[in-house]
Amino acid sequence: MQRIRTRAELATALKAAPRPIGFVPTMGALHAGHAALIRAARAECATVIVSIYVNPKQFTAATDLAAYPRTLDADATLADASGADLLFHPSDAEIYPPNEVVQTVDPGPLALRLEGAARPGHFAGVATVVSRLFDLAQPDRAYFGEKDAQQLRVVEWVTARRTSAPRISIRRVPTVRDTDGLALSSRNARLSPAGRTAAAAIPRALDAARDVLAHGASTVVQVRAAALHLLSQHSELTLEYLDLADPLTLEALPDDATVNEALLTIAVAVDDVRLLDECLLGERSAS
Ligand code: PAF
């Protein structure tokens, strides 16, 4: 695996890179979830590029950006072992050159809801950096985890509106979970042992919502209550939001709506770490 720091080196490497090119953008602190993305790219692409860039434009709290784990050497080992050919880890100046006006990329209507409402500007930051990374890596396929379901949909929306070549296909890769059910995330490393135990209630709350729906509950308010009950047993968890939304528009479903299909999203803070998990409820998730 070749390590690359600059746009110029990347452009040179791309000239010799056989297509299709698979691209896995990350912010580092790689774990088995990222390994699954890289392996998915390896399975269907002749060249696999992984990027590691902690994008300041998508953080809404400076403390969160400062606390974001940076583990480049371990990341390089994992990326290499998972099948990456090129590891691109640029500096800020390579992504946002100081002499260039950075045009913020519109993340579209889906970015206004859920995480977008909780963290204004977050998805504009994601859309902007992903577009820049796509311009630099020129991939045919790009791989994103279903764990961040809203990010995935925003990236799909942005990518569908790209006018520059090549045409990029967005590939969805299922969430990887730990043995206690907690979705893998680079942020989990910052949890205390007590916080970690409490955080394991998040996937159990998703399961509780699925169960109650399977056993006759039907309205948003009933499903939400089942999930909230699980979370309320852990005082370490501070709930930010628990939303059932239309899976296509991401618009919140009203309390008395019948849940046929819904994206259930839970955002909590624990030990000052923000955790997000989500699942698709209803007919399509059962098929
Ligand atoms: O999911 C992430 O790690 C980031 O949001 C991404 C897609 C690499 C953009 O910075």
Side-chain angles (χ1 to χ4, degrees):
M1 184 185 72
Q2 190 186 347
R3 289 198 194 192
I4 288 179
R5 291 224 51 155
T6 66
R7 301 164 159 235
E9 284 172 312
L10 181 58
T12 306
L14 283 178
K15 285 187 191 132
R19 287 193 178 270
I21 293 176
F23 179 47
V24 182
T26 80
M27 297 205 300
L30 303 187
H31 49 63
H34 296 107
L37 298 175
I38 300 168
R39 282 200 307 271
R42 180 76 284 162
E44 56 176 23
C45 299
T47 301
V48 176
I49 304 177
V50 174
S51 67
I52 294 180
Y53 178 62
V54 182
N55 172 36
K57 293 200 185 297
Q58 72 187 75
F59 286 82
T60 42
T63 45
D64 200 19
L65 171 63
Y68 206 83
R70 287 159 171 89
T71 55
L72 185 60
D73 287 335
D75 291 349
T77 305
L78 186 140
D80 194 11
S82 308
D85 298 306
L86 300 173
L87 180 66
F88 179 48
H89 54 103
S91 64
D92 286 338
E94 291 292 325
I95 297 296
Y96 304 116
N99 54 352
E100 219 180 82
V101 179
V102 179
Q103 299 287 352
T104 300
V105 173
D106 176 11
L110 300 178
L112 299 173
R113 327 223 181 270
L114 302 169
E115 278 298 277
R119 304 167 73 194
H122 168 68
F123 284 120
V126 171
T128 302
V129 80
V130 166
S131 299
R132 293 205 148 217
L133 290 167
F134 282 178
D135 289 343
L136 298 177
Q138 298 279 304
D140 301 289
R141 298 169 187 154
Y143 297 77
F144 290 84
E146 283 178 345
K147 173 179 177 293
D148 295 314
Q150 189 178 11
Q151 168 171 282
L152 216 162
R153 281 151 214 248
V154 167
V155 168
E156 285 172 342
W157 189 92
V158 169
T159 307
R161 278 150 191 85
R162 275 175 75 81
T163 47
S164 47
R167 235 181 102 82
I168 302 168
S169 158
I170 302 299
R171 300 291 217 246
R172 299 176 167 212
V173 179
T175 303
V176 179
R177 295 183 179 277
D178 224 325
T179 45
D180 58 1
L182 187 63
L184 295 189
S185 160
S186 307
R187 293 164 192 262
N188 296 354
R190 288 164 50 203
L191 295 172
S192 66
R196 169 77 207 205
T197 305
I202 304 168
R204 292 209 306 277
L206 297 178
D207 289 343
R210 272 197 212 95
D211 282 356
V212 81
L213 201 55
H215 290 96
S218 58
T219 62
V220 166
V221 84
Q222 289 171 318
V223 173
R224 188 189 288 121
L228 279 176
H229 177 67
L230 243 290
L231 298 176
S232 66
Q233 292 165 25
H234 297 271
S235 57
E236 297 89 345
L237 303 179
T238 307
L239 183 68
E240 280 196 22
Y241 64 85
L242 190 159
D243 265 16
L244 280 99
D246 179 291
L248 293 179
T249 64
L250 302 187
E251 263 178 75
L253 299 176
D255 280 356
D256 59 352
T258 301
V259 180
N260 292 318
E261 279 186 358
L263 180 70
L264 170 60
T265 307
I266 298 177
V268 300
V270 50
D271 293 339
D272 280 335
V273 181
R274 211 165 166 279
L275 297 176
L276 187 70
D277 205 346
E278 40 213 342
C279 74
L280 202 54
L281 295 175
E283 285 157 11
R284 219 168 1 167
S285 61
S287 64

